[in-house]
Amino acid sequence: MVEINSEDTSKDAPAKYDSAKYNERSFSTLIRAIHLSPGYFSFLLVNCNSLDLRQQIVDRLEATCVHKPQQLVLPKSATTLYTTIAAEVEGEPPPALMILGLESVESIDRLLVSTNLVCSEFSKKFSFPVVFWVTDELLRKIIRTAPDLYNRMTTIRFLS
């Protein structure tokens, strides 16, 4: 099940589903979004509160994806996302780029504001999906701090 541009970040929304089945559908949706996007830009926001579950999903993506997404773990000192991604993918673009470590960025508000200001530039420079891994807390911060960015994202949720 995919929630597109939904501001409902409550934990009760998907509670009526069996979490294993729900997560399997979410995984299928994520795989499909990555496989259908080579050569095209998109923002994907993956909401997962458990770092252990996140790592399991990332490992499973690595094992099962034909188009293996590249991982970018943001340094704590990151202040801009656009230039960080541009430096990371210089040369051959990856099939997809997963952004990890957003929750550890010290100046997260600054990073989100700067990303929000240039979010339309991403599609001009990048030809691959950018996958943001976020917790509920970070999702709420994105909605408040970077509404233009959030409105361009497709949200996929995993239950812990």
Side-chain angles (χ1 to χ4, degrees), residues 3-159:
E3 298 172 7
I4 299 178
N5 295 334
S6 169
E7 292 189 30
D8 179 11
T9 60
S10 70
K11 294 179 183 175
D12 296 333
K16 61 186 171 197
Y17 301 100
D18 173 77
S19 62
K21 287 181 185 176
Y22 187 91
N23 287 347
E24 196 56 39
R25 281 189 183 148
S26 294
F27 185 78
S28 295
T29 301
L30 181 56
I31 289 269
R32 203 169 35 255
I34 291 171
H35 282 277
L36 294 175
S37 298
Y40 297 98
F41 176 78
S42 63
F43 283 122
L44 298 172
L45 186 141
V46 182
N47 178 221
C48 181
N49 286 315
S50 166
L51 294 179
D52 289 337
L53 178 59
R54 177 190 300 179
Q55 191 57 53
Q56 289 173 12
I57 296 164
V58 168
D59 291 346
R60 189 171 169 201
L61 282 170
E62 283 289 319
T64 60
C65 264
V66 174
H67 307 291
K68 296 192 184 326
Q70 184 176 327
Q71 294 180 37
L72 171 59
V73 179
L74 292 177
K76 291 180 181 191
S77 61
T79 57
T80 63
L81 193 56
Y82 184 83
T83 54
T84 304
I85 291 173
E88 179 73 17
V89 300
E90 211 170 322
E92 185 69 26
L97 182 67
M98 293 191 296
I99 307 296
L100 303 164
L102 274 166
E103 65 280 346
S104 300
V105 172
E106 293 166 350
S107 299
I108 189 64
D109 288 345
R110 180 177 174 190
L111 182 134
L112 291 174
V113 167
S114 69
T115 303
N116 193 62
L117 291 172
V118 298
C119 63
S120 63
E121 296 300 313
F122 279 77
S123 61
K124 296 175 186 173
K125 171 99 173 159
F126 307 125
S127 59
F128 50 86
V130 176
V131 182
F132 292 80
W133 285 87
V134 301
T135 60
D136 282 347
E137 180 182 345
L138 192 50
L139 175 56
R140 285 189 292 275
K141 188 174 285 261
I142 290 170
I143 292 168
R144 280 191 321 272
T145 311
D148 295 336
L149 174 65
Y150 178 71
N151 286 330
R152 294 172 185 251
M153 294 178 155
T154 299
T155 301
I156 302 169
R157 182 182 306 269
F158 287 90
L159 302 176

